Short mmCIF file of all heavy atoms in Angstrom, two decimals:
data_model
loop_
_atom_site.label_atom_id
_atom_site.label_comp_id
_atom_site.label_asym_id
_atom_site.label_seq_id
_atom_site.Cartn_x
_atom_site.Cartn_y
_atom_site.Cartn_z
N ASN A 41 -39.43 -120.71 -45.63
CA ASN A 41 -38.58 -121.40 -46.60
C ASN A 41 -39.28 -121.55 -47.95
O ASN A 41 -38.65 -121.39 -49.00
CB ASN A 41 -38.15 -122.77 -46.07
CG ASN A 41 -37.16 -122.67 -44.94
OD1 ASN A 41 -36.48 -121.66 -44.77
ND2 ASN A 41 -37.07 -123.71 -44.14
N TRP A 42 -40.57 -121.85 -47.93
CA TRP A 42 -41.33 -121.99 -49.18
C TRP A 42 -41.36 -120.66 -49.94
O TRP A 42 -41.14 -120.62 -51.15
CB TRP A 42 -42.75 -122.47 -48.89
CG TRP A 42 -43.56 -122.67 -50.12
CD1 TRP A 42 -43.58 -123.76 -50.93
CD2 TRP A 42 -44.45 -121.72 -50.72
NE1 TRP A 42 -44.44 -123.56 -51.98
CE2 TRP A 42 -44.99 -122.31 -51.88
CE3 TRP A 42 -44.85 -120.43 -50.39
CZ2 TRP A 42 -45.90 -121.66 -52.69
CZ3 TRP A 42 -45.76 -119.79 -51.20
CH2 TRP A 42 -46.27 -120.40 -52.34
N VAL A 43 -41.62 -119.59 -49.21
CA VAL A 43 -41.65 -118.26 -49.84
C VAL A 43 -40.27 -117.92 -50.40
O VAL A 43 -40.15 -117.41 -51.52
CB VAL A 43 -42.14 -117.18 -48.85
CG1 VAL A 43 -41.91 -115.78 -49.39
CG2 VAL A 43 -43.61 -117.39 -48.52
N ALA A 44 -39.22 -118.21 -49.65
CA ALA A 44 -37.86 -117.92 -50.11
C ALA A 44 -37.52 -118.72 -51.36
O ALA A 44 -36.94 -118.19 -52.32
CB ALA A 44 -36.85 -118.20 -49.00
N GLN A 45 -37.89 -120.00 -51.37
CA GLN A 45 -37.62 -120.82 -52.55
C GLN A 45 -38.39 -120.32 -53.76
O GLN A 45 -37.86 -120.27 -54.87
CB GLN A 45 -37.97 -122.28 -52.28
CG GLN A 45 -37.02 -122.98 -51.36
CD GLN A 45 -37.51 -124.37 -51.00
OE1 GLN A 45 -38.63 -124.74 -51.24
NE2 GLN A 45 -36.62 -125.15 -50.37
N THR A 46 -39.63 -119.94 -53.55
CA THR A 46 -40.45 -119.42 -54.64
C THR A 46 -39.86 -118.11 -55.17
O THR A 46 -39.75 -117.90 -56.38
CB THR A 46 -41.90 -119.20 -54.18
OG1 THR A 46 -42.40 -120.44 -53.68
CG2 THR A 46 -42.78 -118.72 -55.30
N ARG A 47 -39.46 -117.24 -54.26
CA ARG A 47 -38.85 -115.96 -54.65
C ARG A 47 -37.54 -116.19 -55.39
O ARG A 47 -37.29 -115.57 -56.44
CB ARG A 47 -38.60 -115.10 -53.41
CG ARG A 47 -38.03 -113.72 -53.75
CD ARG A 47 -37.44 -113.03 -52.55
NE ARG A 47 -36.35 -113.85 -52.05
CZ ARG A 47 -36.07 -114.03 -50.77
NH1 ARG A 47 -36.80 -113.47 -49.85
NH2 ARG A 47 -35.06 -114.78 -50.40
N ASP A 48 -36.70 -117.10 -54.88
CA ASP A 48 -35.43 -117.39 -55.54
C ASP A 48 -35.64 -117.97 -56.94
O ASP A 48 -34.91 -117.64 -57.88
CB ASP A 48 -34.59 -118.34 -54.70
CG ASP A 48 -34.08 -117.69 -53.42
OD1 ASP A 48 -34.15 -116.45 -53.31
OD2 ASP A 48 -33.64 -118.45 -52.52
N GLY A 49 -36.64 -118.83 -57.07
CA GLY A 49 -36.95 -119.38 -58.39
C GLY A 49 -37.40 -118.29 -59.35
O GLY A 49 -37.03 -118.29 -60.53
N TYR A 50 -38.17 -117.35 -58.86
CA TYR A 50 -38.64 -116.23 -59.68
C TYR A 50 -37.46 -115.35 -60.10
O TYR A 50 -37.34 -114.96 -61.27
CB TYR A 50 -39.68 -115.42 -58.92
CG TYR A 50 -40.23 -114.26 -59.70
CD1 TYR A 50 -41.06 -114.46 -60.79
CD2 TYR A 50 -39.93 -112.95 -59.34
CE1 TYR A 50 -41.57 -113.40 -61.51
CE2 TYR A 50 -40.44 -111.89 -60.05
CZ TYR A 50 -41.26 -112.11 -61.13
OH TYR A 50 -41.76 -111.06 -61.83
N LEU A 51 -36.59 -115.04 -59.15
CA LEU A 51 -35.42 -114.21 -59.47
C LEU A 51 -34.50 -114.92 -60.46
O LEU A 51 -33.95 -114.29 -61.37
CB LEU A 51 -34.64 -113.86 -58.20
CG LEU A 51 -35.31 -112.85 -57.28
CD1 LEU A 51 -34.52 -112.69 -55.99
CD2 LEU A 51 -35.48 -111.51 -57.97
N GLU A 52 -34.35 -116.23 -60.30
CA GLU A 52 -33.52 -117.00 -61.23
C GLU A 52 -34.12 -116.95 -62.62
O GLU A 52 -33.41 -116.79 -63.62
CB GLU A 52 -33.41 -118.45 -60.74
CG GLU A 52 -32.48 -119.33 -61.56
CD GLU A 52 -33.19 -120.00 -62.72
OE1 GLU A 52 -34.37 -120.35 -62.58
OE2 GLU A 52 -32.56 -120.15 -63.78
N MET A 53 -35.45 -117.04 -62.70
CA MET A 53 -36.12 -116.98 -63.99
C MET A 53 -35.90 -115.61 -64.64
O MET A 53 -35.66 -115.51 -65.85
CB MET A 53 -37.62 -117.24 -63.84
CG MET A 53 -38.37 -117.20 -65.14
SD MET A 53 -40.15 -117.14 -64.92
CE MET A 53 -40.36 -115.50 -64.24
N LEU A 54 -35.95 -114.56 -63.84
CA LEU A 54 -35.77 -113.21 -64.38
C LEU A 54 -34.34 -112.93 -64.83
O LEU A 54 -34.12 -112.15 -65.75
CB LEU A 54 -36.19 -112.16 -63.35
CG LEU A 54 -37.68 -112.06 -63.06
CD1 LEU A 54 -37.92 -111.03 -61.96
CD2 LEU A 54 -38.46 -111.69 -64.30
N THR A 55 -33.38 -113.55 -64.16
CA THR A 55 -31.98 -113.22 -64.44
C THR A 55 -31.27 -114.27 -65.28
O THR A 55 -30.08 -114.11 -65.56
CB THR A 55 -31.20 -113.04 -63.12
OG1 THR A 55 -31.31 -114.24 -62.35
CG2 THR A 55 -31.74 -111.86 -62.32
N ARG A 56 -31.97 -115.32 -65.69
CA ARG A 56 -31.28 -116.35 -66.48
C ARG A 56 -30.85 -115.75 -67.82
O ARG A 56 -31.56 -114.91 -68.39
CB ARG A 56 -32.14 -117.59 -66.65
CG ARG A 56 -33.20 -117.52 -67.70
CD ARG A 56 -33.93 -118.85 -67.81
NE ARG A 56 -34.81 -118.98 -66.67
CZ ARG A 56 -36.00 -119.53 -66.71
NH1 ARG A 56 -36.45 -120.05 -67.81
NH2 ARG A 56 -36.75 -119.59 -65.65
N PRO A 57 -29.71 -116.16 -68.31
CA PRO A 57 -29.21 -115.61 -69.56
C PRO A 57 -30.07 -116.09 -70.74
O PRO A 57 -30.62 -117.19 -70.73
CB PRO A 57 -27.79 -116.16 -69.66
CG PRO A 57 -27.79 -117.37 -68.80
CD PRO A 57 -28.81 -117.15 -67.74
N HIS A 58 -30.17 -115.24 -71.71
CA HIS A 58 -30.94 -115.55 -72.91
C HIS A 58 -29.96 -115.79 -74.05
O HIS A 58 -29.86 -115.00 -75.00
CB HIS A 58 -31.90 -114.40 -73.24
CG HIS A 58 -32.84 -114.11 -72.11
ND1 HIS A 58 -33.92 -114.91 -71.82
CD2 HIS A 58 -32.86 -113.13 -71.18
CE1 HIS A 58 -34.57 -114.44 -70.79
NE2 HIS A 58 -33.94 -113.35 -70.37
N ALA A 59 -29.24 -116.89 -73.95
CA ALA A 59 -28.15 -117.19 -74.89
C ALA A 59 -28.65 -117.31 -76.32
O ALA A 59 -28.00 -116.83 -77.25
CB ALA A 59 -27.46 -118.48 -74.46
N GLU A 60 -29.80 -117.92 -76.50
CA GLU A 60 -30.31 -118.11 -77.85
C GLU A 60 -30.63 -116.76 -78.50
O GLU A 60 -30.30 -116.53 -79.67
CB GLU A 60 -31.56 -119.00 -77.81
CG GLU A 60 -31.96 -119.55 -79.15
CD GLU A 60 -33.10 -120.54 -79.03
OE1 GLU A 60 -33.37 -121.05 -77.93
OE2 GLU A 60 -33.74 -120.79 -80.06
#
Side-chain angles (χ1 to χ4, degrees):
N41 289 339
W42 181 84
V43 169
Q45 288 173 348
T46 303
R47 183 196 61 218
D48 291 346
Y50 181 69
L51 288 174
E52 185 272 325
M53 180 193 70
L54 289 177
T55 58
R56 80 177 75 143
H58 302 284
E60 195 174 342

